[in-house]
Amino acid sequence: MQMQKRTLKYAILGLLCHNDLSGYDLSLEFDKALSEFWSAKHSQIYPELKKLTEEGKVRYDIEISGTSLEKKVYSITEDGRKDFLEWLNTIEPMQSTPKDVFRLRLFFAADLDKDARLHLLREQLRDHQARLEHLRNSTHKFDNVTDRDSAAYFDSLVCLGAVMREETHCRWLETCIERLRE
Amino acid sequence: MQMQKRTLKYAILGLLCHNDLSGYDLSLEFDKALSEFWSAKHSQIYPELKKLTEEGKVRYDIEISGTSLEKKVYSITEDGRKDFLEWLNTIEPMQSTPKDVFRLRLFFAADLDKDARLHLLREQLRDHQARLEHLRNSTHKFDNVTDRDSAAYFDSLVCLGAVMREETHCRWLETCIERLRE
DNA sequence: CGCGACATGTAAGCAGTTACATGATTAT
DNA sequence: ATAATCATGTAACTGCTTACATGTCGCG
């Protein structure tokens, strides 16, 4: 019997390691800070928090905003922190190459006429150039991060990887377009 | 109500467009030809083939190997071909960045001591260098593919993309290691 | 005769998305 | 007032993986 991976659990515990957060806050973090490598909808986060509470990895205090709006602010327990650090120190086998619908389409593109092939590639290039532009703009916030022990420093390394990945993806698409444009 | 994507369906139809194949053959194709961008286990393929048969997109003939071993050889129907080409000609919105456990770990690596950080990065580099080496070897089979309308040509473009992706990933890891190695 | 490859299926469960459902607060 | 955002949850479903289950064929 294989153990489950439960990556969402560790993503949540990792975020709670440095800040106490509500489910709503966590969902914002996934959409902002982690969006380049992980995501989770609130419909997945809330049940996971419930489970983690039952398992004693996190606990929560109820805060009231205004007169009656309840907010559950979660914090990590000692057991949760221990569990997280154990996970972080474990080397997992390399992830298999992620699925990619675009590459699947391109693989089958011999069944497409020439215009459709180029259209497919150009649309994809346009989208990825926009993403690259957006990523490059977000690198500026790391300009004066120098402490190689800070969370921000690792954030900047991940961001650098995302920029490099998008640059290469765009270069590849440009090569494909050039070669197919007789 | 959102329509389902059913990418596996189209991956199977695409493969059956050019060759009649059994479920077992399809599973070999996923492990070989498509492994850089799609995968599927036999436990997913067989039920999907059953569904596609019921939907009239494929049909099968039973072949006997040896004395009694039955093999279902599937072929695509006209309706299936039409459906596949319609899908192939449709531009889907860009896929969101795939999840990446390694980047998640690196994001949290400030919680790791220096040796563990470097170990994490070096292990990952070693694995990706091996994958890159393997990919580079498999590019040679495209050396004399020149027909830009052939399936093999698009196979070679996808393969080129995979090599470029791995090269960049390795370059990124090397940069990270250099920066963290005081 | 036994082992690895060939060949086909089902069952249980995890991970994730979309949709359903409700209600409070804040800014316009 | 009303819309956007804050805030929390559940239900139904798709996609995929792991494990269960069975049997044949070819080789040494």
Side-chain angles (χ1 to χ4, degrees):
Chain A
M1 194 68 172
Q2 186 76 7
M3 218 195 62
Q4 329 156 29
K5 285 212 310 328
R6 294 197 58 188
T7 310
L8 177 62
K9 163 182 163 178
Y10 295 107
I12 290 174
L13 291 181
L15 288 168
L16 292 179
C17 252
H18 301 285
N19 303 98
D20 292 352
L21 298 165
S22 66
Y24 189 83
D25 297 332
L26 281 164
S27 130
L28 294 179
E29 283 299 303
F30 279 106
D31 291 346
K32 289 189 180 90
L34 309 195
S35 66
E36 276 311 310
F37 48 89
W38 210 262
S39 66
K41 308 285 168 75
H42 77 274
S43 56
Q44 203 186 356
I45 294 168
Y46 289 119
E48 188 64 37
L49 283 169
K50 195 181 171 186
K51 197 173 175 186
L52 289 172
T53 308
E54 285 159 8
E55 291 170 349
K57 308 294 181 182
V58 303
R59 42 171 229 90
Y60 63 87
D61 289 310
I62 292 178
E63 272 185 17
I64 308 287
S65 316
T67 43
S68 66
L69 183 57
E70 290 195 354
K71 189 172 162 171
K72 292 183 181 175
V73 180
Y74 287 86
S75 41
I76 194 164
T77 62
E78 265 321 297
D79 185 41
R81 194 177 296 272
K82 204 188 123 213
D83 194 352
F84 170 70
L85 288 172
E86 208 171 283
W87 171 79
L88 194 58
N89 274 284
T90 306
I91 302 283
E92 272 181 90
M94 185 175 52
Q95 214 176 233
S96 68
T97 310
K99 296 190 175 188
D100 187 323
V101 191
F102 175 75
R103 284 172 209 260
L104 181 67
R105 279 172 189 279
L106 188 64
F107 180 78
F108 288 132
D111 297 328
L112 232 36
D113 61 46
K114 203 186 144 191
D115 286 347
R117 285 172 197 165
L118 286 169
H119 181 59
L120 178 74
L121 285 159
R122 286 181 177 134
E123 284 287 304
Q124 177 85 179
L125 178 58
R126 195 176 46 69
D127 291 348
H128 280 271
Q129 278 171 340
R131 184 184 275 173
L132 177 56
E133 174 77 2
H134 175 261
L135 278 167
R136 278 183 175 145
N137 290 334
S138 66
T139 54
H140 297 313
K141 67 169 177 281
F142 302 115
D143 282 349
N144 43 11
V145 173
T146 47
D147 177 7
R148 292 198 291 289
D149 283 318
S150 67
Y153 192 75
F154 289 94
D155 198 354
S156 79
L157 290 179
V158 172
C159 190
L160 172 67
V163 169
M164 289 172 72
R165 175 180 56 194
E166 287 302 323
E167 280 170 349
T168 300
H169 195 77
C170 289
R171 265 197 302 120
W172 173 58
L173 292 169
E174 284 159 5
T175 305
C176 291
I177 290 168
E178 218 171 286
R179 289 201 191 167
L180 293 174
R181 213 190 51 214
E182 82 233 270
Chain B
M1 194 67 173
Q2 185 77 4
M3 218 193 63
Q4 329 154 28
K5 285 214 305 340
R6 293 195 61 186
T7 310
L8 177 62
K9 164 182 163 178
Y10 295 108
I12 290 174
L13 290 181
L15 288 168
L16 292 180
C17 252
H18 301 286
N19 303 97
D20 293 351
L21 298 166
S22 67
Y24 190 83
D25 297 332
L26 280 164
S27 130
L28 294 180
E29 282 299 303
F30 279 106
D31 291 346
K32 289 189 180 90
L34 309 195
S35 67
E36 275 310 309
F37 49 89
W38 211 261
S39 65
K41 307 284 169 76
H42 77 275
S43 56
Q44 203 187 354
I45 293 168
Y46 289 118
E48 187 64 38
L49 283 169
K50 194 181 171 186
K51 198 174 175 187
L52 289 172
T53 307
E54 283 158 8
E55 291 170 348
K57 308 294 182 183
V58 303
R59 43 171 229 90
Y60 64 86
D61 290 309
I62 292 177
E63 272 185 18
I64 308 288
S65 315
T67 42
S68 67
L69 183 56
E70 290 195 355
K71 188 173 163 170
K72 292 183 181 176
V73 180
Y74 288 86
S75 42
I76 194 165
T77 63
E78 263 323 295
D79 185 42
R81 192 177 297 270
K82 202 188 124 214
D83 194 352
F84 170 70
L85 288 172
E86 209 171 282
W87 171 81
L88 193 58
N89 273 284
T90 306
I91 301 283
E92 270 183 272
M94 185 174 52
Q95 214 174 237
S96 67
T97 310
K99 296 191 175 186
D100 188 322
V101 191
F102 175 75
R103 285 172 208 261
L104 180 68
R105 281 173 187 278
L106 187 64
F107 179 78
F108 289 131
D111 297 327
L112 235 35
D113 60 46
K114 203 186 145 191
D115 285 348
R117 286 171 195 167
L118 286 169
H119 181 60
L120 178 73
L121 286 159
R122 286 180 176 133
E123 284 286 303
Q124 177 87 177
L125 178 59
R126 195 176 45 71
D127 291 349
H128 280 271
Q129 278 169 340
R131 183 185 274 174
L132 177 55
E133 174 77 1
H134 175 261
L135 278 168
R136 277 180 174 147
N137 290 334
S138 65
T139 55
H140 297 312
K141 68 169 176 280
F142 301 116
D143 282 349
N144 43 9
V145 173
T146 47
D147 178 7
R148 291 198 291 287
D149 284 317
S150 67
Y153 192 74
F154 289 93
D155 198 354
S156 78
L157 290 179
V158 172
C159 191
L160 172 68
V163 169
M164 289 172 71
R165 177 180 55 194
E166 286 303 323
E167 280 171 350
T168 299
H169 195 77
C170 289
R171 264 197 302 122
W172 172 57
L173 292 169
E174 284 159 5
T175 306
C176 291
I177 290 167
E178 218 170 286
R179 290 202 191 166
L180 293 174
R181 215 189 48 217
E182 81 234 271

